[in-house]
Amino acid sequence: MSLPSGKPGRDCPRCPRLAAFREQWRGREPEWHNAPVGSFGSINARLLIVGLAPGLRGANRTGRPFTGDYAGDLLYATLKEYGFARGTFDARPDDTLKLVDARITNAVRCVPPENKPTPLEINTCRDFLKLSISEMPNLRVIVTLGRISHESVVKALGAKRSTAAFGHGAKAEVGPLTLFASYHCSRYNTNTGVLTPKMFHNVFAAVRACLDG
Ligand code: URA
């Protein structure tokens, strides 16, 4: 199957379970996006942030990564704080939020049932992740949100797992790129104290220093 760009088509058939879930939600909520969610931000950015997959009532509804569910509130507030976003985040794609030198994508582009993509779906969607990485000419830093995103990015880059182990705040050099790993900014992680806003801020402070240094 040809892959002309880092963006799957609206009816991408590669993951039958995800395509069926998408169809089901098209029937239930015809006004929602209910399609693969593309990347947000300029292709010329130096920073790429990789999430897991669209949330059902978040990106799958609105069509913009991390928009419309809790995870976006912490992510976009933090990006603004460190100069990677400006404008107003209002959890809708027509708010005035703009990313600055940053782009956001997901390891899996379609919403998975229960927020859990299967290993096969993660592998299948990695072709799009690879293209999204390779189509950014100025890319210097990747932030991975959660272990699944991290491991998929490491595989997409063709790096050994041992050279870039996952852990909150872990930093690794992979060829010309610097990888920063973070726990995912999900409601579950923040409600249980696995990830505090300060821990999340610290990752983006380190990214800022890396890009400015
Ligand atoms: N929304 C996204 O787009 N990605 C995530 O990983 C979580 C919520």
Side-chain angles (χ1 to χ4, degrees):
M1 190 173 302
S2 69
L3 290 168
S5 80
K7 189 176 184 318
R10 188 173 158 78
D11 295 312
C12 179
R14 298 180 121 217
C15 302
R17 187 183 75 118
L18 301 188
F21 193 55
R22 202 170 63 203
E23 273 312 311
Q24 182 189 325
W25 278 93
R26 282 180 186 176
R28 283 173 75 164
E29 295 287 352
E31 302 299 318
W32 289 11
H33 176 74
N34 288 318
V37 173
S39 307
F40 174 41
S42 169
I43 215 163
N44 295 314
R46 290 181 300 162
L47 169 63
L48 178 67
I49 298 157
V50 183
L52 169 59
L56 179 63
R57 292 179 171 74
N60 174 65
R61 174 174 60 85
T62 64
R64 192 176 75 178
F66 288 93
T67 299
D69 57 17
Y70 177 85
D73 294 351
L74 178 57
L75 177 61
Y76 287 118
T78 306
L79 292 181
K80 279 182 77 168
E81 174 126 7
Y82 289 94
F84 293 114
R86 61 183 156 75
T88 302
F89 175 64
D90 197 18
R92 41 192 295 161
D94 59 353
D95 58 19
T96 60
L97 189 90
K98 297 269 177 295
L99 297 183
V100 180
D101 203 14
R103 187 167 166 88
I104 305 178
T105 197
N106 279 305
V108 173
R109 302 301 175 88
C110 290
V111 57
E114 314 285 321
N115 270 336
K116 285 194 180 73
T118 65
L120 179 61
E121 289 159 357
I122 298 162
N123 287 341
T124 301
C125 211
R126 191 171 307 113
D127 286 332
F128 294 110
L129 180 60
K130 281 185 192 162
L131 284 159
S132 298
I133 292 171
S134 64
E135 71 188 1
M136 294 182 70
N138 304 317
L139 186 62
R140 293 257 318 275
V141 171
I142 302 181
V143 172
T144 57
L145 300 180
R147 183 183 291 277
I148 291 177
S149 154
H150 187 77
E151 292 184 350
S152 199
V153 166
V154 170
K155 282 187 190 160
L157 295 173
K160 274 206 198 130
R161 230 171 140 180
S162 57
T163 60
F166 178 73
H168 184 77
K171 182 180 173 191
E173 307 295 334
V174 177
L177 301 176
T178 305
L179 257 56
F180 288 89
S182 170
Y183 292 151
H184 193 283
C185 48
S186 64
R187 186 198 293 266
Y188 179 81
N189 278 350
T190 48
N191 279 354
T192 54
V194 167
L195 180 72
T196 63
K198 178 149 186 9
M199 286 165 71
F200 200 56
H201 285 192
N202 288 345
V203 172
F204 285 89
V207 170
R208 186 83 266 170
C210 176
L211 285 172
D212 288 355

